[in-house]
Amino acid sequence: MVETSEAEDIRVIQTIGHVDHGKTTFVDSLLAANNIISTRMAGKIRYMDSRDDEQQRGITMESSAVSLHFKVLEKGEDGGSRPRDYVVNLIDTPGHVDFSSEVSTASRICDGALVLVDVVEGVCTQTIAVLRQAWLDRLRPILVINKFDRLITELKLSPVEAYHHLSQLIEQVNAVMGSFFAGERMDDDLRWREDREKRLAERREQTADDAGTDAISEPLQDVFQEKDDEDIYFAPDRGNVIFASAIDGWGFRIGKFAQLFAAKLGVKEANLRKVLWGDFFMDPKTKRVISYKHLRGRNLKPLFVQFVLDNIWAVYDSVVLNPNPEKVTKIVAALNLKIAPRDLKSKDGRHLLSIIFSQWLSLSTCTIQAVIDVVPAPSAAQRSRIPKMLYPDLHEESIAPKNRLETNLWQCDASEDACVVAYVSKMFAVPTKDLPYNKPKALTAEEMRKKGREARETREAASQAEEAGSIPIFEATPTDNVSDSHEVNEVQEEGVQETLLGFARLYSGTIHINSHVFCVLPKYNNTLPPTHPRNARYIISSQIRGLYTMMGRELVPVEKVTAGNVFAVSGLEGKVWRSATICAPNGKRGDLSLTDGCSEFLLNLGGVNRQSPPIVKVALESVVPADMPKVVRGLRLLSQSDPCVETFQQQTGEHVILTAGFLHLERCLKDLRERFAKVEIQASEPIVPFRETAIHTPDLPPPKAGKNAPRGTVFGSISQGMVKFTIRTLPLPSEIIEFLQANISLVRKMRQEDETRTSRRDVSTSDVQSETPPDILDGDGTDDLDDTDGDGVGEAAEDVERKPTVRANEFWSALDKLFAKAGPEWKDVSRYIWSFGPGQVGPNILVDRRAGATANFLRERTKRTTESRALRDFENSVETGFQIATFQGPLCAEPVVGMAFMMEDLTVADLEGNSEVSRASGSLITAVKDACRSGLLDWSPRLMMAMYTCDIQASMDVLGKVFATVAKRRGRIVAEEMKEGTSFFSVKALLPVVESFGFAEDIRKRTSGAASPQLIFSGYELYDQDPFWVPTTEEELEDLGEKADRENIAKVYVDAVRERKGMFVEKKIVQFAEKQRTLKR
């Protein structure tokens, strides 16, 4: 890294886009311009893909960074040009949906983004996802329309057709950006109206006694502030669009051609740049630029076609499509290019093409100039990005700093006295042998000469001894001693194979090696002092052991890092789990102690939000049982080094890993076997989550409780009638289920506030975080603070976290309206809600409908005045039984969704002694759990299957094979549309997760690689088939027979889950006895 104290000369960017849109190939051209790789190998070597499986598959799986140095000529105030050095910190990120968490961690520490879009495939699902991530993190994007050569060589479009295709593509991307802006403005408008009504209500209360109360109105100056959306869109004339072909090594902005043609046409460059894109034409008679209004029926080419595309088409035509050496020579002479004659005579058309374009339209020059012009420097970018990190509820673009620490952050102050603030977005593992101090050092010229002299003397001594007829005896040379000691070190360090480094960015100050810092973990509360018991456990002192500049596959050690740069840091292993904020009062070295004065430089920049939760769950074990401790250590390393993997141990003793997809799972298993555990590992079949529910169908059997009792009613009692209760189970209306699932985060917040008020549980137990430091982990690497255990660990992460549809203070009123709309039987039910489940936050409700009972209403928990302690214990047992029943349903012990459990009666006899109360309380839990499950089965039970949204890009000739593959796996096509100007179809389908194993490989085989799917978890969907269905009516018996030859798919799924969990499964050993054949003797 070029150490620079000028934050104005630094840019921090990342490449984002859909998979196979050319991000890593694009970065190769920038690396070639820095002489890191050969220009001839740019686009072929994919330097940033350092893993073997990345090179084999041709996709990026881990984000990697590189610091590039460029010297740019800029015009001075005196009109002359002077060179200026820039440092560009570039992060190459994956495009596959399984590794979207890598994009989230990278965008957190960047100021801008290069958004790559394939010119043929256009806007895809991951394109929208990464654009949304860039929008949320307030990055300044640059649109790169890549693979431009496909328009010429593959689609064979004419220049005019290509222009219209490009216009539509830019409009599609702008439509995505516009949808983000519209959604944000709608939220701003709603917020402004609510604040305005609140202020008006307050003023009316203050002036209630005045005569002019009715004439109150809002001041005129308090109007809704409209925002200009011009800056968010991509437009070639604004310089934030690059047309490129990374494989051929060229790219341009329209400013390049405006500069070329301005002198020829005798117009100003700025004026030509404005009309070079759009419906502007050159009048052949007057030589003036006209708009489409003045065409008067004439068929003229747009300026972009005439000046830009025609020239590019001519080069491709004369070099690749219809090779013409004479025409190529004329083009080279016209462009004043210096190309060697042997290159002009080359028969490799692509090589000649890249030579011509690299001199004429250099991709690296164009990209770096665009980054400098569009992406703000850290000192400017942090004024708008840091306030959003510190205050997530902030809706203004920027605010004034409140103290010295914020002033340093806003200004990106790199001085030694400034507060040191760095954000570690993720931890990544590096083989210890690949660290710079473990690599063999290059010999200097003097050492090489000395080694040569020693070798020459050795040869001379050997020849003299041979002439004398004696056997030479050589002493060990110093180099031999060095090699021996090296081998000893390798043996000693055999157990330490991987080193964890932090992937970080410095926002303020200057950080040095061996300096002492505080690591502030993501659960740190900025509103409380550092010495508060809630905060003290999330502040860990550490010492910086090493600082490195990341150069793709290499790490370059440095003594210090200044503000605005991206770097790798060592010394955090055992202190930081996944992400943290590094803080210090200044860049000076010295020991630190935690006091109240530390609040002047301590803060928490928050955690990284995952866009796609992990869904694929697999149990692991070692082939050799004695190697299991190595597997546990390997899982711990893997969990730290991968931001989107979760590992835990179930109550059954199984070690389970949760990954984002099947490709992600393959990579994790490879890392465990070859890097972290280095033992043979056996993985189970993927554990697919289900949900259980019940619905009302017209052909239900009579209720279990009798004709007089409503359906779903269960009467229960324990201990010979000591406690009697009645519970009625009902399916919730679909609107209420959707509302509860969308607002789970609000319910969780209310639960935490309730626990704080009532002190029913320790607050620290509910503060669950995945970024728990290893010093509060137990011996096997599992998290003591995790609130999920057993089979349910990670279940909460499998649900898509949605944005709440209402505000916290409007939750109950909105729920009241939905219940009133659902029908008379649901009227006022929300007033009597006792608890949500499972986990007290799920989409099931326990309702207290006992006469005269008010103590358990969730809205009125603070008014609990139950006189009987025994009754209080029994009520807690009822709630616990409800939580267990909804956490493990009756079908296959999977969580329940969309059920209401009405507690209609609870009668307690007089008890003697606390022993009877405690014994009866335990029995009541089991009785309530069984009653809730029995009530659910009184309706028609159903499974809810986890579903993938599958996006497939396929050509017309393989479309039928794609449909057949999806149908074979019980999926369904949701939409299909043909991309205009191409022969490609975009197919959108829904596919059950349980049927998706090997789907990507299957569809690639059937289509010979012409189609590749992207699977994104989209939630759960009802599978409308009763697991207990058997043919009963005459039509069903006539159609299927008594044996029901048609397989009950729902029962197959239920039995598979029950068998995996070790539950009872009813199986017939001989299913069709009459079909058995007797073997001949």
Side-chain angles (χ1 to χ4, degrees):
M1 185 196 310
V2 178
E3 294 183 3
T4 173
S5 58
E6 293 292 334
E8 293 292 332
D9 299 338
I10 300 174
R11 299 293 186 272
V12 186
I13 60 171
Q14 64 171 341
T15 58
I16 56 177
H18 195 73
V19 64
D20 288 333
H21 280 201
K23 298 180 292 298
T24 306
T25 304
F26 186 88
V27 174
D28 272 1
S29 299
L30 304 182
L31 298 175
N34 251 236
N35 296 324
I36 297 176
I37 61 175
S38 166
T39 306
R40 193 181 183 94
M41 296 301 295
K44 304 177 184 65
I45 192 175
R46 298 200 312 275
Y47 182 81
M48 302 297 280
D49 290 345
S50 57
R51 297 171 56 98
D52 293 337
D53 46 359
E54 288 179 328
Q55 291 287 342
Q56 291 171 3
R57 292 179 179 271
I59 62 172
T60 304
M61 298 184 184
E62 287 183 353
S63 57
S64 51
V66 64
S67 293
L68 304 175
H69 174 235
F70 293 94
K71 188 167 288 188
V72 180
L73 289 176
E74 293 186 350
K75 292 183 179 179
E77 297 179 356
D78 55 354
S81 59
R82 60 181 181 85
R84 184 174 177 181
D85 292 333
Y86 283 95
V87 174
V88 177
N89 296 296
L90 175 65
I91 303 176
D92 181 32
T93 63
H96 197 282
V97 64
D98 283 8
F99 310 107
S100 57
S101 59
E102 296 281 349
V103 181
S104 303
T105 56
S107 64
R108 187 79 173 179
I109 59 177
C110 292
D111 298 327
L114 296 171
V115 185
L116 277 84
V117 179
D118 190 320
V119 72
V120 175
E121 295 184 4
V123 177
C124 300
T125 52
Q126 276 302 102
T127 309
I128 300 174
V130 297
L131 281 172
R132 182 181 290 108
Q133 185 70 51
W135 175 269
L136 294 176
D137 287 328
R138 296 189 175 185
L139 305 187
R140 191 66 63 86
I142 298 172
L143 178 63
V144 180
I145 300 178
N146 196 23
K147 302 189 180 182
F148 202 94
D149 56 295
R150 294 184 67 185
L151 296 178
I152 308 171
T153 60
E154 188 175 325
L155 299 184
K156 300 189 183 302
L157 300 181
S158 66
V160 176
E161 292 172 337
Y163 167 71
H164 292 301
H165 182 85
L166 294 170
S167 300
Q168 292 175 355
L169 178 57
I170 295 175
E171 288 177 5
Q172 290 174 6
V173 181
N174 284 335
V176 175
M177 300 299 293
S179 65
F180 299 154
F181 179 80
E184 188 177 273
R185 296 306 292 156
M186 290 176 65
D187 292 341
D188 291 344
D189 180 67
L190 177 62
R191 193 181 308 108
W192 177 82
R193 292 179 186 278
E194 290 175 349
D195 293 343
R196 183 174 180 271
E197 291 174 359
K198 189 182 296 184
R199 290 195 299 271
L200 282 173
E202 292 175 355
R203 291 183 59 188
R204 287 194 181 94
E205 291 177 0
Q206 294 174 359
T207 58
D209 298 333
D210 297 343
T213 302
D214 297 335
I216 296 175
S217 62
E218 193 73 7
L220 293 178
Q221 65 269 19
D222 189 13
V223 296
F224 181 65
Q225 298 294 328
E226 294 292 344
K227 288 184 180 179
D228 188 9
D229 61 346
E230 183 181 358
D231 292 339
I232 70 170
Y233 296 119
F234 298 105
D237 55 324
R238 296 183 57 223
N240 59 0
V241 177
I242 298 175
F243 304 95
S245 173
I247 194 68
D248 290 334
W250 61 268
F252 68 90
R253 295 189 296 169
I254 62 172
K256 172 71 174 180
F257 284 89
Q259 181 182 2
L260 291 174
F261 288 98
K264 294 182 179 181
L265 298 176
V267 297
K268 293 183 179 179
E269 181 182 335
N271 295 337
L272 183 58
R273 188 184 295 112
K274 293 179 182 178
V275 298
L276 202 52
W277 176 265
D279 294 332
F280 297 98
F281 309 87
M282 177 71 73
D283 192 326
K285 295 182 179 179
T286 61
K287 300 297 181 182
R288 296 175 61 88
V289 177
I290 59 175
S291 65
Y292 69 94
K293 296 180 180 178
H294 302 88
L295 283 178
R296 298 173 185 173
R298 291 177 292 179
N299 187 18
L300 300 180
K301 294 181 180 179
L303 290 179
F304 186 76
V305 175
Q306 185 176 352
F307 291 158
V308 180
L309 297 186
D310 280 348
N311 293 320
I312 295 175
W313 255 250
V315 175
Y316 269 90
D317 181 68
S318 58
V319 177
V320 178
L321 300 180
N322 301 302
N324 189 337
E326 296 181 0
K327 193 173 181 181
V328 171
T329 305
K330 292 181 180 179
I331 291 175
V332 170
L335 296 175
N336 294 325
L337 305 180
K338 297 180 180 179
I339 299 178
R342 59 183 176 84
D343 290 329
L344 287 174
K345 297 177 182 178
S346 173
K347 294 182 179 180
D348 186 357
R350 283 287 181 177
H351 175 58
L352 176 58
L353 194 71
S354 62
I355 292 176
I356 294 174
F357 274 115
S358 61
Q359 294 189 31
W360 179 34
L361 303 173
S362 173
L363 178 58
S364 60
T365 303
C366 165
T367 304
I368 295 306
Q369 196 61 54
V371 168
I372 294 172
D373 295 343
V374 177
V375 178
S379 55
Q382 291 181 192
R383 294 191 188 99
S384 61
R385 297 191 66 240
I386 295 293
K388 188 66 175 177
M389 293 184 190
L390 292 177
Y391 311 104
D393 296 331
L394 180 69
H395 303 290
E396 290 79 13
E397 287 295 326
S398 183
I399 58 174
K402 301 176 182 178
N403 48 47
R404 170 176 168 265
L405 174 60
E406 292 187 0
T407 302
N408 292 338
L409 286 171
W410 267 234
Q411 297 176 354
C412 190
D413 193 346
S415 63
E416 292 285 349
D417 295 330
C419 297
V420 174
V421 178
Y423 183 71
V424 180
S425 66
K426 71 169 185 175
M427 302 291 288
F428 66 101
V430 176
T432 306
K433 61 182 179 62
D434 290 345
L435 292 176
Y437 55 78
N438 286 335
K439 289 186 176 182
K441 296 181 180 179
L443 297 176
T444 62
E446 182 61 32
E447 291 173 341
M448 293 177 68
R449 283 194 291 269
K450 181 180 179 182
K451 195 172 183 180
R453 284 196 300 268
E454 292 174 353
R456 192 164 50 252
E457 292 173 358
T458 303
R459 287 195 301 271
E460 291 175 355
S463 61
Q464 292 175 2
E466 186 176 353
E467 291 175 359
S470 61
I471 301 175
I473 300 175
F474 298 109
E475 296 182 357
T477 60
T479 54
D480 295 330
N481 294 333
V482 172
S483 62
D484 291 340
S485 63
H486 180 66
E487 291 176 1
V488 172
N489 288 337
E490 282 189 350
V491 173
Q492 290 176 349
E493 298 180 1
E494 186 177 357
V496 184
Q497 301 291 344
E498 299 286 335
T499 300
L500 286 173
L501 302 179
F503 194 93
R505 171 177 171 176
L506 188 60
Y507 285 105
S508 172
T510 301
I511 191 168
H512 298 264
I513 292 180
N514 297 325
S515 59
H516 291 265
V517 296
F518 282 126
C519 299
V520 181
L521 303 182
K523 278 294 178 180
Y524 179 87
N525 191 342
N526 287 327
T527 60
L528 300 177
T531 55
H532 191 278
R534 174 76 180 273
N535 275 348
R537 62 187 303 222
Y538 299 125
I539 304 175
I540 300 174
S541 177
S542 181
Q543 186 177 11
I544 303 299
R545 298 296 182 187
L547 297 171
Y548 306 95
T549 297
M550 292 174 284
M551 300 297 293
R553 306 178 183 182
E554 304 292 332
L555 292 171
V556 180
V558 293
E559 291 295 323
K560 67 176 182 178
V561 176
T562 56
N565 283 300
V566 174
F567 63 99
V569 55
S570 65
L572 307 182
E573 188 172 1
K575 307 290 180 67
V576 175
W577 187 242
R578 281 183 179 167
S579 62
T581 307
I582 297 177
C583 301
N586 49 53
K588 301 174 183 177
R589 306 170 192 179
D591 294 335
L592 299 175
S593 58
L594 187 62
T595 61
D596 288 333
C598 294
S599 59
E600 297 179 359
F601 63 87
L602 286 181
L603 57 80
N604 177 22
L605 293 178
V608 177
N609 296 323
R610 279 194 309 226
Q611 293 296 319
S612 59
I615 184 65
V616 179
K617 185 160 59 173
V618 168
L620 303 177
E621 64 179 1
S622 59
V623 175
V624 180
D627 292 335
M628 203 59 205
K630 295 181 180 179
V631 175
V632 174
R633 287 195 297 269
L635 285 172
R636 182 174 175 177
L637 272 173
L638 176 67
S639 181
Q640 279 190 271
S641 61
D642 193 323
C644 194
V645 73
E646 292 183 8
T647 60
F648 53 87
Q649 186 176 10
Q650 298 189 129
Q651 288 181 344
T652 57
E654 288 180 305
H655 289 273
V656 173
I657 179 174
L658 265 167
T659 60
F662 297 105
L663 183 58
H664 187 207
L665 175 63
E666 288 182 27
R667 193 197 74 179
C668 291
L669 294 179
K670 179 181 173 65
D671 285 346
L672 276 175
R673 292 188 179 108
E674 298 179 2
R675 295 180 59 189
F676 300 134
K678 290 195 172 182
V679 296
E680 282 300 317
I681 292 176
Q682 185 176 354
S684 70
E685 290 294 322
I687 303 171
V688 179
F690 289 89
R691 296 292 183 265
E692 300 180 21
T693 188
I695 62 173
H696 182 276
T697 55
D699 54 348
L700 284 173
K704 296 179 181 179
K707 296 182 179 179
N708 297 328
R711 181 174 296 279
T713 303
V714 178
F715 302 100
S717 64
I718 62 168
S719 303
Q720 299 178 352
M722 185 183 299
V723 180
K724 297 180 180 180
F725 61 90
T726 304
I727 293 180
R728 184 161 64 98
T729 306
L730 288 170
L732 282 172
S734 58
E735 296 84 0
I736 297 174
I737 298 174
E738 285 291 325
F739 178 80
L740 293 178
Q741 288 178 328
N743 295 282
I744 279 180
S745 58
L746 295 182
V747 179
R748 183 181 293 112
K749 184 179 179 181
M750 289 189 296
R751 166 203 168 192
Q752 292 173 348
E753 292 175 353
D754 178 54
E755 289 176 348
T756 304
R757 285 196 306 265
T758 59
S759 300
R760 290 177 55 194
R761 296 180 183 175
D762 186 8
V763 177
S764 63
T765 308
S766 64
D767 287 335
V768 182
Q769 63 159 352
S770 60
E771 295 82 6
T772 308
D775 60 347
I776 51 179
L777 297 175
D778 57 18
D780 61 353
T782 55
D783 191 350
D784 282 338
L785 298 182
D786 204 338
D787 66 342
T788 52
D789 54 356
D791 279 345
V793 180
E795 293 286 356
E798 292 163 1
D799 290 322
V800 177
E801 190 75 21
R802 306 185 194 177
K803 183 180 179 181
T805 57
V806 294
R807 297 178 181 276
N809 56 357
E810 299 173 352
F811 176 80
W812 290 110
S813 59
L815 193 58
D816 286 337
K817 294 177 182 178
L818 288 174
F819 274 116
K821 185 180 178 182
E825 62 177 335
W826 297 101
K827 186 177 181 182
D828 297 333
V829 166
S830 61
R831 291 182 52 221
Y832 307 110
I833 291 179
W834 184 343
S835 177
F836 296 96
Q840 299 186 351
V841 294
N844 305 285
I845 59 173
L846 175 63
V847 183
D848 193 354
R849 297 307 294 264
R850 294 174 295 163
T854 59
N856 292 310
F857 299 163
L858 201 56
R859 297 193 193 185
E860 304 174 0
R861 282 289 170 92
T862 56
K863 301 178 182 178
R864 286 179 174 167
T865 57
T866 306
E867 297 180 1
S868 172
R869 176 60 185 269
L871 182 60
R872 177 74 262 158
D873 291 340
F874 288 137
E875 289 174 346
N876 289 340
S877 298
V878 169
E879 184 176 352
T880 304
F882 159 76
Q883 297 293 342
I884 297 174
T886 53
F887 183 65
Q888 295 181 339
L891 296 180
C892 51
E894 292 287 308
V896 177
V897 169
M899 300 302 294
F901 300 90
M902 309 282 189
M903 173 58 69
E904 296 185 339
D905 184 39
L906 180 63
T907 306
V908 181
D910 294 334
L911 301 176
E912 298 178 0
N914 293 331
S915 60
E916 288 192 30
V917 172
S918 60
R919 186 169 62 252
S921 298
S923 301
L924 184 59
I925 293 175
T926 304
V928 171
K929 175 192 70 175
D930 295 338
C932 292
R933 292 177 175 177
S934 179
L936 187 148
L937 293 176
D938 206 8
W939 298 88
S940 184
R942 292 289 188 273
L943 273 184
M944 297 183 72
M945 297 197 300
M947 302 296 289
Y948 275 137
T949 298
C950 179
D951 290 284
I952 307 170
Q953 298 275 346
S955 56
M956 188 183 301
D957 52 345
V958 299
L959 207 56
K961 296 178 181 178
V962 169
F963 288 178
T965 307
V966 172
K968 176 186 174 184
R969 294 175 175 267
R970 299 191 179 93
R972 69 176 188 275
I973 304 298
V974 177
E976 58 169 312
E977 60 178 5
M978 187 175 185
K979 292 188 174 292
E980 293 186 19
T982 70
S983 60
F984 288 92
F985 277 83
S986 177
V987 179
K988 191 171 186 179
L990 280 175
L991 188 71
V993 174
V994 70
E995 300 287 348
S996 63
F997 308 144
F999 174 70
E1001 290 78 4
D1002 191 11
I1003 202 169
R1004 276 196 289 265
K1005 287 179 182 177
R1006 287 175 171 267
T1007 61
S1008 300
S1012 182
Q1014 284 270 298
L1015 300 175
I1016 304 171
F1017 180 61
S1018 62
Y1020 293 86
E1021 186 177 275
L1022 182 73
Y1023 186 66
D1024 197 8
Q1025 186 177 19
D1026 190 347
F1028 304 118
W1029 176 85
V1030 290
T1032 52
T1033 63
E1034 292 184 5
E1035 292 82 359
E1036 292 171 347
L1037 289 171
E1038 183 179 348
D1039 183 25
L1040 302 174
E1042 294 182 1
K1043 301 294 188 301
D1045 291 345
R1046 184 183 301 170
E1047 194 175 31
N1048 188 332
I1049 303 302
K1051 190 173 189 311
V1052 171
Y1053 292 150
V1054 169
D1055 288 347
V1057 177
R1058 293 180 69 91
E1059 189 173 1
R1060 172 174 57 82
K1061 294 185 176 183
M1063 303 170 68
F1064 173 73
V1065 178
E1066 184 179 354
K1067 275 189 175 182
K1068 293 182 180 179
I1069 305 301
V1070 178
Q1071 294 192 9
F1072 306 106
E1074 69 275 8
K1075 295 183 180 180
Q1076 300 291 325
R1077 292 184 178 181
T1078 304
L1079 295 176
K1080 294 181 180 179
R1081 293 182 180 178

